[in-house]
Amino acid sequence: MAMADPEPEKEQELAKIPYYVALTTYFAYGLLFVYGHFRDFFRSLMKTEKSEKVGYAPLCRDFEDFYTRRLYHRIQDCFNRPIASAPNRTIDVIERVSYDNNKTLFRTNNTRTCLNLGSYNYLGFASHDEYCTPHVVEALEKFATSTCASQINGGYTVLHEELEQIIAKFVGKPAAMVYGMGFATNSTTIPVLVGKGGLIISDALNHSSIVAGSRGSTAKVAVFQHNTPSHLEQVLREAISEGQPRTHRAWKKIIVVVEGIYSMEGELCRLKEIVAVAKKYKAYIYLDEAHSIGAIGKTGRGICELQGVDPADIDVMMGTFTKSFGSCGGYIAASEDLVKYLRYTSPAHIYATAMSPPAVQQVISALKVILGEDNSDRGAKKLAQVRENSNFFRDELRKMGCEVLGDEGSPVMPIMLYNPGKIPAFSRECLKRNVAVVTVAFPATPLLLSRARICISASHTREDLEQALQVISEVCDMCHLKYFPVGMTEKEKALLTEKEKSL
Amino acid sequence: MATGMVMEMKETLVSLLDAPLADAVIFGIHIDGHLFLETLLVVVIAFLLLQKSYQPEKRPLTEQEIDQLCDEWTPEPLHPPITKEMELSPPVLESAAGPHTVVNGKDVINLSSANYLGLIGHPKIKEACNAALEKYGVGACGPRGFYGTIDVHMDLEAKIAQFMGTPDSILYSYGLATVSSVIPAFCKRGDLILADEGVNWGIQNGLFLSRSTVRYFKHNDMASLEALLEDVRQEDRRKKKVLNRRFIVVEAIYQNSGEMVPLDTVVRLKEKYLFRVLVDESNSIGVLGKTGRGLSEHFNIPVEKIDIITSAMGHSLASVGGFCTGSAKVVDHQRLSGAGYCFSAALPPFLASASITALELLEDNPVLLTRLRRNISFFRSKLATIPGVVVRGHALSPLIFLHLQRSGSFAEDSVILQQIVDKMLEEGVLLSASKRSLLDKCKLGAGIRIMVTASHTEAELLSVSSSLGNVIQSVVTAQS
């Protein structure tokens, strides 16, 4: 079943930022930087800190550290919040206290039970599950916590074999292989697939693991505008006709790397068009389904199912088990020969410790629940629930007047904050009202576009969501986050944001 | 006299005025007005000089031409054709990877797992994991920055710091990603790193991603390191450059050869030449030192002298993941710039619990270390008697390498060694031979990697060494 194409204007804009908000945000950052430099100047005068040993360069360069010391430390209590329970629909956030103005934080013994809108728990497998946990305990008993060996050298168990077969079948590819860490799946596979003389064309907003993998390979990297198939075509035409830089030799191969759901924007990839473009120009496609596998699509098979793309058209499908399956690790699914080649030469397979057997069992059990092989319909219910919850939540937020990004069906949705002062305000006020949210700022997002990212789970009930909406509405009123109040017409919105194009 | 001069002047003036129209005789032809002609020539020359030089027109490719080029271009296949050696089928375990394991329904002695203290399957660890699974589920469902920091992570970091004697430590969710994230966090373009040429792939990847200048010294050769350091000092004297960050990167016990780095020499050199040192202690934590605290305890060097210590927890600690420890500043900096820490999901809480319990078991049972040491020395003595192979690796290393006496290239040796490994599996012993990825730049030779654990009995080790003797003899004689 194909989804309707997103409106064309989404191609141009990422976030409608009102003019006055952009100005005030620039001003706020400017003030912070100036004040920070002032304090640095006084610090260098006073020399209150112990200087480095003579003859050694400082371990952390000054300008790298500036952001950490002067901006991040002020709002440090909004990040790295420790919890004392499973990351389920509610979490027990541990309260921290600071005696030196947020520079160092200490744990206390107090916890606060909050509604969890921050963890990647799309299908609700994050805590004790009636089907999965007994099997996991059994696996722990039989196979212990770890094999202490790499997959190729005595770390490969029957569980790993079973998981590889079941995930290949689930995704619709002939074969698959399993890694112990999602980040390492990208960063060790991309250098193997393409080397010197090759070209990687990657979406502008790809995840840091893909960037690490591209940098770790010796291939050249080009970037195309986020989710814009027409620009991808332009880049491909230019690349193939010009050839390699300077020598103008033909490229050995070209790989296009895209993600299923871009978690910072909540957007779905325009996969059908991108696949059409890549096939026309004979480029290979690498799809990273870290957030989309198990979360979208009628049976949870990810973005290919949602958009009606045949998995055979995608050359390499990658995904992680952390988000929808409540475990850890990642997989690569591709043709049998390619998987054989990767087993022979991927460094993670040869050198890294194999995935922990209980974690493998968790994924197998979760998959069985999703496929309905546990003789219940919990899987189908979970999938329907997460879709319903996400759409309900997003619609309500938009009705409130918040600037919310994300496509229909995506369980992750960012609420735009923009102003640096609103980041800690939103986070702390929500925590006071027992709602745990995640706020993201520079460098994970562009400087102006800081946001609060909401992750909806199948384990959230309708009451949870309504309570969350009430709290968010209150906090948004306090922080003036309702940029587009209800009743504003499209024309007024356009007027307010017309200056955005020039920014 | 004066009149004469005036007359002369008048004549010159007249002739000058008449000059343009004066006669010139060129090749016997009279030409009127030659000065006029010469002026015209000068003007023409000036005009030509001021002309732009000819450049052929730069015509961009037309759309049809681009279409044509795109049609003609054929990419290489995504992977090269699959050869016979690529058809690997690793042994599939049907039970836990303890000192004994089940492969193909048969019970075999397992010397392939880095379970040095024999903690896989320990009941106390199972108990701790069960409790963690009931309480926290399996995954952490988020990166450390976004509610993925669970109290067990903080407990484990505190425990590691207390165990190693350092102010703080930081956890990573994967052993291979630990050192690949630590090195780029501290070294950028323009910094200098001196690394051993036998370092493992994780370190090589970290060095590549850091974009620093990397120079390699001969494997475990301190003289080569010192020569390189002298070289650097000479260069410093010649060119006055800005002081950059400098590191020496070594492993405590090398994953690729089993050699141990002489840490006392390295520390002496680093203090003399003002470098910092990073030691990867994956194979030495829980192995070396009186209480298993690693290389610094073994050499009696205060741990503050080592700037950064990294380790994977998938070896003696019978868990998964890795950690890095050092001064407070070292650890703090990584919380925002360690790529594998910030952008990856946190370690599953039950694995953190397993590591805490493993560390506690190590502290309470130093007998494990004595057993391990005894097994290592016993096995080495028995292996040394086998003809046709050479035993490599440091005397205290739990990672023992068996190289062929008559060794050829890595590929040739690998074939013979794999035959030995396959035959040994039929005899009931699980071993593994060195395998190297195409991305790995290490040039050390191939060998059989034997990992001795504290749980093996002397009888088992004796039977393994005698089987090995027979199998190696048969394979080596079949070769020659």
mmCIF file of all heavy atoms in Angstrom, chain A residues 258-283:
data_model
loop_
_atom_site.group_PDB
_atom_site.id
_atom_site.type_symbol
_atom_site.label_atom_id
_atom_site.label_comp_id
_atom_site.label_asym_id
_atom_site.label_seq_id
_atom_site.Cartn_x
_atom_site.Cartn_y
_atom_site.Cartn_z
ATOM 1 N N VAL A 258 20.948 6.325 2.336
ATOM 2 C CA VAL A 258 19.818 7.084 2.883
ATOM 3 C C VAL A 258 19.309 6.362 4.121
ATOM 4 O O VAL A 258 19.642 5.209 4.364
ATOM 5 C CB VAL A 258 18.650 7.205 1.873
ATOM 6 C CG1 VAL A 258 19.000 8.144 0.765
ATOM 7 C CG2 VAL A 258 18.265 5.854 1.338
ATOM 8 N N GLU A 259 18.489 7.059 4.888
ATOM 9 C CA GLU A 259 17.903 6.449 6.080
ATOM 10 C C GLU A 259 16.392 6.297 5.901
ATOM 11 O O GLU A 259 15.777 7.051 5.168
ATOM 12 C CB GLU A 259 18.149 7.326 7.299
ATOM 13 C CG GLU A 259 19.563 7.339 7.789
ATOM 14 C CD GLU A 259 19.686 8.116 9.084
ATOM 15 O OE1 GLU A 259 18.797 8.019 9.947
ATOM 16 O OE2 GLU A 259 20.669 8.848 9.229
ATOM 17 N N GLY A 260 15.795 5.356 6.601
ATOM 18 C CA GLY A 260 14.347 5.141 6.532
ATOM 19 C C GLY A 260 13.590 6.294 7.177
ATOM 20 O O GLY A 260 12.806 6.980 6.548
ATOM 21 N N ILE A 261 13.854 6.491 8.491
ATOM 22 C CA ILE A 261 13.304 7.659 9.184
ATOM 23 C C ILE A 261 14.479 8.481 9.675
ATOM 24 O O ILE A 261 15.388 7.952 10.298
ATOM 25 C CB ILE A 261 12.450 7.246 10.404
ATOM 26 C CG1 ILE A 261 11.199 6.526 9.968
ATOM 27 C CG2 ILE A 261 12.044 8.470 11.199
ATOM 28 C CD1 ILE A 261 10.292 6.193 11.134
ATOM 29 N N TYR A 262 14.443 9.779 9.420
ATOM 30 C CA TYR A 262 15.490 10.647 9.946
ATOM 31 C C TYR A 262 15.044 11.075 11.332
ATOM 32 O O TYR A 262 14.112 11.842 11.489
ATOM 33 C CB TYR A 262 15.669 11.851 9.011
ATOM 34 C CG TYR A 262 16.232 11.432 7.683
ATOM 35 C CD1 TYR A 262 15.398 11.127 6.623
ATOM 36 C CD2 TYR A 262 17.607 11.290 7.507
ATOM 37 C CE1 TYR A 262 15.915 10.700 5.419
ATOM 38 C CE2 TYR A 262 18.132 10.869 6.303
ATOM 39 C CZ TYR A 262 17.278 10.567 5.267
ATOM 40 O OH TYR A 262 17.796 10.141 4.076
ATOM 41 N N SER A 263 15.737 10.588 12.340
ATOM 42 C CA SER A 263 15.187 10.721 13.691
ATOM 43 C C SER A 263 15.168 12.147 14.190
ATOM 44 O O SER A 263 14.359 12.494 15.032
ATOM 45 C CB SER A 263 15.972 9.852 14.658
ATOM 46 O OG SER A 263 17.298 10.309 14.726
ATOM 47 N N MET A 264 16.033 13.014 13.671
ATOM 48 C CA MET A 264 16.002 14.391 14.170
ATOM 49 C C MET A 264 14.866 15.193 13.536
ATOM 50 O O MET A 264 14.485 16.233 14.049
ATOM 51 C CB MET A 264 17.325 15.093 13.878
ATOM 52 C CG MET A 264 18.416 14.739 14.833
ATOM 53 S SD MET A 264 17.971 15.167 16.521
ATOM 54 C CE MET A 264 19.037 14.096 17.428
ATOM 55 N N GLU A 265 14.368 14.731 12.405
ATOM 56 C CA GLU A 265 13.287 15.473 11.745
ATOM 57 C C GLU A 265 11.969 14.718 11.805
ATOM 58 O O GLU A 265 10.935 15.290 11.530
ATOM 59 C CB GLU A 265 13.615 15.687 10.253
ATOM 60 C CG GLU A 265 14.576 16.830 9.986
ATOM 61 C CD GLU A 265 15.955 16.484 10.444
ATOM 62 O OE1 GLU A 265 16.353 15.323 10.266
ATOM 63 O OE2 GLU A 265 16.632 17.356 11.002
ATOM 64 N N GLY A 266 12.025 13.433 12.093
ATOM 65 C CA GLY A 266 10.813 12.634 12.072
ATOM 66 C C GLY A 266 10.286 12.422 10.672
ATOM 67 O O GLY A 266 9.145 12.028 10.486
ATOM 68 N N GLU A 267 11.116 12.661 9.667
ATOM 69 C CA GLU A 267 10.640 12.550 8.286
ATOM 70 C C GLU A 267 10.894 11.168 7.740
ATOM 71 O O GLU A 267 11.895 10.531 8.066
ATOM 72 C CB GLU A 267 11.421 13.515 7.414
ATOM 73 C CG GLU A 267 10.807 14.867 7.334
ATOM 74 C CD GLU A 267 11.625 15.744 6.439
ATOM 75 O OE1 GLU A 267 12.327 15.221 5.563
ATOM 76 O OE2 GLU A 267 11.552 16.943 6.630
ATOM 77 N N LEU A 268 9.988 10.767 6.846
ATOM 78 C CA LEU A 268 10.202 9.506 6.154
ATOM 79 C C LEU A 268 10.977 9.776 4.876
ATOM 80 O O LEU A 268 10.805 10.807 4.244
ATOM 81 C CB LEU A 268 8.854 8.890 5.791
ATOM 82 C CG LEU A 268 8.003 8.478 6.976
ATOM 83 C CD1 LEU A 268 6.599 8.162 6.521
ATOM 84 C CD2 LEU A 268 8.603 7.279 7.646
ATOM 85 N N CYS A 269 11.787 8.803 4.477
ATOM 86 C CA CYS A 269 12.574 8.969 3.257
ATOM 87 C C CYS A 269 11.670 8.842 2.039
ATOM 88 O O CYS A 269 10.724 8.061 2.036
ATOM 89 C CB CYS A 269 13.623 7.868 3.248
ATOM 90 S SG CYS A 269 14.597 7.788 1.772
ATOM 91 N N ARG A 270 11.948 9.595 0.993
ATOM 92 C CA ARG A 270 11.174 9.456 -0.249
ATOM 93 C C ARG A 270 11.799 8.324 -1.035
ATOM 94 O O ARG A 270 12.439 8.512 -2.063
ATOM 95 C CB ARG A 270 11.221 10.765 -1.013
ATOM 96 C CG ARG A 270 10.459 11.848 -0.258
ATOM 97 C CD ARG A 270 10.751 13.199 -0.772
ATOM 98 N NE ARG A 270 10.202 13.367 -2.099
ATOM 99 C CZ ARG A 270 10.072 14.538 -2.683
ATOM 100 N NH1 ARG A 270 10.471 15.612 -2.057
ATOM 101 N NH2 ARG A 270 9.588 14.638 -3.884
ATOM 102 N N LEU A 271 11.619 7.118 -0.503
ATOM 103 C CA LEU A 271 12.419 5.995 -0.980
ATOM 104 C C LEU A 271 12.106 5.635 -2.418
ATOM 105 O O LEU A 271 13.010 5.358 -3.215
ATOM 106 C CB LEU A 271 12.194 4.783 -0.071
ATOM 107 C CG LEU A 271 13.183 3.654 -0.289
ATOM 108 C CD1 LEU A 271 14.582 4.102 0.022
ATOM 109 C CD2 LEU A 271 12.817 2.472 0.593
ATOM 110 N N LYS A 272 10.827 5.635 -2.781
ATOM 111 C CA LYS A 272 10.471 5.169 -4.125
ATOM 112 C C LYS A 272 11.178 6.001 -5.184
ATOM 113 O O LYS A 272 11.762 5.457 -6.123
ATOM 114 C CB LYS A 272 8.955 5.285 -4.291
ATOM 115 C CG LYS A 272 8.396 4.084 -4.928
ATOM 116 C CD LYS A 272 6.897 4.126 -5.081
ATOM 117 C CE LYS A 272 6.509 2.845 -5.803
ATOM 118 N NZ LYS A 272 5.230 2.373 -5.427
ATOM 119 N N GLU A 273 11.144 7.338 -4.997
ATOM 120 C CA GLU A 273 11.760 8.192 -6.017
ATOM 121 C C GLU A 273 13.266 8.043 -6.014
ATOM 122 O O GLU A 273 13.906 8.017 -7.060
ATOM 123 C CB GLU A 273 11.375 9.641 -5.749
ATOM 124 C CG GLU A 273 9.900 9.860 -5.904
ATOM 125 C CD GLU A 273 9.422 11.039 -5.077
ATOM 126 O OE1 GLU A 273 10.282 11.839 -4.665
ATOM 127 O OE2 GLU A 273 8.220 11.145 -4.850
ATOM 128 N N ILE A 274 13.840 7.939 -4.811
ATOM 129 C CA ILE A 274 15.288 7.833 -4.739
ATOM 130 C C ILE A 274 15.751 6.521 -5.366
ATOM 131 O O ILE A 274 16.763 6.481 -6.086
ATOM 132 C CB ILE A 274 15.753 7.956 -3.271
ATOM 133 C CG1 ILE A 274 15.536 9.400 -2.821
ATOM 134 C CG2 ILE A 274 17.198 7.551 -3.098
ATOM 135 C CD1 ILE A 274 15.973 9.688 -1.422
ATOM 136 N N VAL A 275 14.994 5.449 -5.147
ATOM 137 C CA VAL A 275 15.366 4.159 -5.758
ATOM 138 C C VAL A 275 15.287 4.275 -7.271
ATOM 139 O O VAL A 275 16.163 3.800 -8.000
ATOM 140 C CB VAL A 275 14.437 3.041 -5.250
ATOM 141 C CG1 VAL A 275 14.591 1.800 -6.098
ATOM 142 C CG2 VAL A 275 14.768 2.704 -3.825
ATOM 143 N N ALA A 276 14.233 4.959 -7.770
ATOM 144 C CA ALA A 276 14.090 5.105 -9.222
ATOM 145 C C ALA A 276 15.289 5.846 -9.801
ATOM 146 O O ALA A 276 15.866 5.444 -10.813
ATOM 147 C CB ALA A 276 12.795 5.855 -9.528
ATOM 148 N N VAL A 277 15.697 6.933 -9.145
ATOM 149 C CA VAL A 277 16.837 7.717 -9.632
ATOM 150 C C VAL A 277 18.103 6.873 -9.603
ATOM 151 O O VAL A 277 18.872 6.813 -10.559
ATOM 152 C CB VAL A 277 17.024 8.986 -8.774
ATOM 153 C CG1 VAL A 277 18.344 9.649 -9.086
ATOM 154 C CG2 VAL A 277 15.890 9.946 -9.000
ATOM 155 N N ALA A 278 18.336 6.176 -8.495
ATOM 156 C CA ALA A 278 19.578 5.415 -8.360
ATOM 157 C C ALA A 278 19.639 4.303 -9.406
ATOM 158 O O ALA A 278 20.699 4.051 -9.989
ATOM 159 C CB ALA A 278 19.685 4.839 -6.956
ATOM 160 N N LYS A 279 18.501 3.654 -9.647
ATOM 161 C CA LYS A 279 18.509 2.564 -10.634
ATOM 162 C C LYS A 279 18.781 3.104 -12.029
ATOM 163 O O LYS A 279 19.487 2.489 -12.818
ATOM 164 C CB LYS A 279 17.170 1.837 -10.641
ATOM 165 C CG LYS A 279 17.082 0.777 -9.578
ATOM 166 C CD LYS A 279 15.676 0.271 -9.448
ATOM 167 C CE LYS A 279 15.416 -0.907 -10.354
ATOM 168 N NZ LYS A 279 15.835 -2.162 -9.736
ATOM 169 N N LYS A 280 18.246 4.288 -12.313
ATOM 170 C CA LYS A 280 18.447 4.865 -13.649
ATOM 171 C C LYS A 280 19.932 5.078 -13.917
ATOM 172 O O LYS A 280 20.419 4.883 -15.039
ATOM 173 C CB LYS A 280 17.688 6.185 -13.701
ATOM 174 C CG LYS A 280 17.734 6.878 -15.022
ATOM 175 C CD LYS A 280 16.711 8.019 -15.037
ATOM 176 C CE LYS A 280 17.084 9.031 -16.119
ATOM 177 N NZ LYS A 280 16.475 10.327 -15.901
ATOM 178 N N TYR A 281 20.663 5.476 -12.875
ATOM 179 C CA TYR A 281 22.076 5.776 -13.072
ATOM 180 C C TYR A 281 22.993 4.672 -12.573
ATOM 181 O O TYR A 281 24.186 4.873 -12.415
ATOM 182 C CB TYR A 281 22.413 7.111 -12.385
ATOM 183 C CG TYR A 281 21.739 8.259 -13.055
ATOM 184 C CD1 TYR A 281 20.519 8.744 -12.605
ATOM 185 C CD2 TYR A 281 22.301 8.840 -14.172
ATOM 186 C CE1 TYR A 281 19.882 9.780 -13.247
ATOM 187 C CE2 TYR A 281 21.667 9.881 -14.818
ATOM 188 C CZ TYR A 281 20.460 10.342 -14.362
ATOM 189 O OH TYR A 281 19.826 11.378 -14.991
ATOM 190 N N LYS A 282 22.440 3.495 -12.330
ATOM 191 C CA LYS A 282 23.225 2.319 -11.955
ATOM 192 C C LYS A 282 24.019 2.509 -10.660
ATOM 193 O O LYS A 282 25.111 1.965 -10.509
ATOM 194 C CB LYS A 282 24.193 1.900 -13.083
ATOM 195 C CG LYS A 282 23.443 1.437 -14.328
ATOM 196 C CD LYS A 282 24.384 1.199 -15.476
ATOM 197 C CE LYS A 282 24.481 2.447 -16.321
ATOM 198 N NZ LYS A 282 25.211 2.309 -17.556
ATOM 199 N N ALA A 283 23.482 3.282 -9.738
ATOM 200 C CA ALA A 283 24.160 3.419 -8.439
ATOM 201 C C ALA A 283 23.575 2.391 -7.473
ATOM 202 O O ALA A 283 22.430 1.982 -7.611
ATOM 203 C CB ALA A 283 23.944 4.825 -7.889
#
